Amino acid sequence: MNAFSIAGAAVAGLPAGTLLRGQVARLSVPGGEPDEEACRSCAAPLPGRPALRCEACESWIGPAAAIELVTAAVLALLAASIGPQPALAAFGYLAVAGVALAQVDTAAQRLPDRLTLPAYPAVVLLLALAAAAGHAWPAFGRALLAGLVLAAAYLVLGLASRGQLGGGDIKLAGLLGLALGWLSWGAVLAGAALGFVLAAAAGLVLLATRRASRRTMVSFGPYMLTGALIVAVSGLR
């Protein structure tokens, strides 16, 4: 894919991130609590339309420019690695949702169903369209099976870990299985394994720097997403 197409994907990530900024701000609360409806700086109501800043005090809604820049970077990486293939739309959709999920999980240690569940039909539909366009029905079937297998594997791990892996992680695993399964079974295994490796490495760093203890709960979603992204853009199969 040429530089103009990659730049176009990056530019598309900026408004996509802005569209999700308010949703991320509203959902960045502990599980079970009502959505955040007010600016954390001045307590004015959050705007009902996509916006970067509070209309009352003009402070950023959430981290300054973070979601836009990260979304742009991820879409550019996917465009450069996957190229102009029909499946790029499915990977791009999941990437945008993944950036929002990672930011919510980092802020509030939750992966809300409001972001995860709608991604299932969207990704399946986009992969089905890609399969029809490229006559890639075996890859589509593998994607569906991989989504089920990875979600089931995480469910078993969640039950065995007594809550260390939550329901949000299990649902996210199914989504990542869909995308990685489209690539190959090797990509599914590599993406899943890399998520645990990254989480373990980060945990060791936090322990060594005394920023966490053995009982500290660590958000696992960002590591799952990062591991899947690395596999998708690196060509590991």
Side-chain angles (χ1 to χ4, degrees):
M1 181 173 281
N2 61 43
F4 290 105
S5 299
I6 296 171
V11 170
L14 298 176
T18 300
L19 285 173
L20 285 174
R21 175 171 286 277
Q23 189 82 315
V24 169
R26 287 181 168 83
L27 294 174
S28 294
V29 294
E33 292 191 7
D35 291 355
E36 181 67 69
E37 297 293 345
C39 171
R40 296 191 176 184
S41 297
C42 70
L46 292 174
R49 56 178 177 76
L52 295 174
R53 298 177 180 272
C54 171
E55 295 175 345
C57 68
E58 297 189 354
S59 62
W60 282 89
I61 300 171
I67 189 169
E68 288 82 10
L69 295 177
V70 174
T71 304
V74 171
L75 290 182
L77 284 172
L78 287 172
S81 59
I82 295 176
Q85 299 181 29
L88 181 59
F91 280 83
Y93 181 97
L94 182 54
V96 173
V99 171
L101 284 165
Q103 294 211 4
V104 173
D105 201 17
T106 300
Q109 292 192 328
R110 62 185 294 236
L111 295 165
D113 289 347
R114 200 179 305 174
L115 293 174
T116 306
L117 296 184
Y120 270 94
V123 171
V124 169
L125 175 60
L126 290 171
L127 288 178
L129 292 174
H135 304 287
W137 293 111
F140 180 67
R142 184 176 61 237
L144 295 179
L145 183 56
L148 290 173
V149 168
L150 200 56
Y154 267 73
L155 175 59
V156 172
L157 289 173
L159 294 173
S161 67
R162 299 180 181 180
Q164 292 297 313
L165 288 177
D169 298 318
I170 296 167
K171 295 166 192 171
L172 178 58
L175 273 177
L176 298 180
L178 284 171
L180 295 175
W182 175 271
L183 300 175
S184 71
W185 283 110
V188 176
L189 292 173
L194 191 53
F196 285 101
V197 170
L198 292 173
L204 289 174
V205 171
L206 291 174
L207 286 173
T209 57
R210 298 183 179 180
R211 296 172 60 187
S213 68
R214 294 179 181 272
R215 296 183 180 180
T216 301
M217 294 293 292
V218 177
S219 300
F220 190 42
Y223 302 108
M224 295 171 64
L225 289 158
T226 302
L229 177 64
I230 291 173
V231 169
V233 303
S234 66
L236 291 173
R237 302 290 185 271

